[in-house]
Amino acid sequence: MNAHTIPELRCALSREAIIGHETAWKVSTFGVAQYRHGYDPALLSAIEEAALKLKASHAVHKHLDLTFITGADRYIPEIKELLHDKLRLERLSDMMGTELEPYPLSIVGSTVTFMNPRDGAVEWHCDGVPVTELIPLSISDPLIGGHLEIYCDDSETGRSILESGRDLPRNKIMRIDHKMNYATLGQFLGVLHRTAPIQLGERVTLVLNQRSTIRPYVDDNRLFYLAADNDHDRAWVNELAEDVWTNQLPAYRRDAGEHPMPPQPAVEAVSRGARESW
């Protein structure tokens, strides 16, 4: 895999094209792309084999109808190798348009997901992590369902539709079918998306999470959201606090100093008529 070779793309869309308007809370203008990844097939096979052995003891199914091993690189060395691979990070950074680093929390850096009619898929949601790479480890043939669906509009509009009990309009849903030897890179923070329910077959996927080295504070992972999947382990709370003080806060202050808000013109007092004498 050459870090600076433009990968073979199957589809690509900017963040603003997905959401439908300009956004400020982002790491770049990149939205989503699917591309030939070039990762070692033997390495991916070893990851899947190890994950399947760990599934019974380490996988959970309690949030968003998803069965997965959280913080999978803690248990599978091959995942940690790929997660921190320098060439991989350089290549993804080139695609994203900003330098990326592995997501620092031990419970969130990587997951292995198991999707089938029994284990579920994943319901409509917006990601907490800024940048995610989805790498299929195996896809059954046939597979009915299990594709990525992205709502192409403002996420709050979509959430309102769903909470009212209505279906999202099909003409605003972008479909990306997963394919072996291709990965999907997405900035899904603030982007409503899901995996379509699987009616037949199964898929095992490696999920690697990243964030911006320049803007590490651009992150939507709330404590309650992390706790929904990780209430069995609270060591990550200290990890998060340490990262806020040592990485996110300094970067935020540095960025605020480099991009100060322009002075706003004074607002003239507006006469309120009779109310002024109250």
Side-chain angles (χ1 to χ4, degrees), residues 238-259:
N238 292 330
E239 286 183 348
L240 178 57
E242 179 65 20
D243 184 67
V244 168
W245 290 111
T246 60
N247 295 304
Q248 297 184 39
L249 182 58
Y252 175 75
R253 286 174 169 164
R254 182 171 58 250
D255 189 54
E258 294 174 354
H259 304 91

Side-chain angles (χ1 to χ4, degrees), residues 48 115-117 136-146 178-180 198-204:
E48 182 185 23
M115 298 183 179
N116 54 55
L137 299 178
S138 64
I139 302 175
S140 67
D141 184 14
L143 177 67
I144 301 176
H178 294 284
K179 182 178 180 180
M180 293 301 296
I198 295 178
Q199 284 81 47
L200 177 67
E202 60 186 352
R203 176 163 62 85
V204 181

Side-chain angles (χ1 to χ4, degrees), residues 78-182:
E78 291 86 352
I79 296 180
K80 189 177 292 292
E81 174 186 341
L82 189 58
L83 183 64
H84 293 275
D85 182 84
K86 182 179 178 181
L87 288 180
R88 170 184 167 271
L89 289 171
E90 288 181 1
R91 190 187 199 199
L92 298 189
S93 297
D94 284 348
M95 294 175 63
M96 186 62 55
T98 189
E99 184 179 356
L100 299 176
E101 64 184 10
Y103 197 79
L105 292 188
S106 59
I107 58 167
V108 187
S110 66
T111 63
V112 175
T113 63
F114 306 93
M115 298 183 179
N116 54 55
R118 182 183 65 261
D119 286 330
V122 60
E123 297 170 351
W124 288 105
H125 69 290
C126 296
D127 280 3
V129 295
V131 178
T132 295
E133 184 182 28
L134 308 171
I135 307 167
L137 299 178
S138 64
I139 302 175
S140 67
D141 184 14
L143 177 67
I144 301 176
H147 51 275
L148 174 63
E149 292 188 331
I150 301 173
Y151 178 62
C152 295
D153 203 339
D154 184 81
S155 63
E156 285 300 306
T157 300
R159 287 182 186 275
S160 296
I161 293 173
L162 292 171
E163 290 187 7
S164 71
R166 294 173 291 156
D167 292 331
L168 296 174
R170 299 305 303 176
N171 63 347
K172 290 195 173 183
I173 295 177
M174 176 185 182
R175 171 174 173 159
I176 299 179
D177 292 305
H178 294 284
K179 182 178 180 180
M180 293 301 296
N181 301 316
Y182 285 78

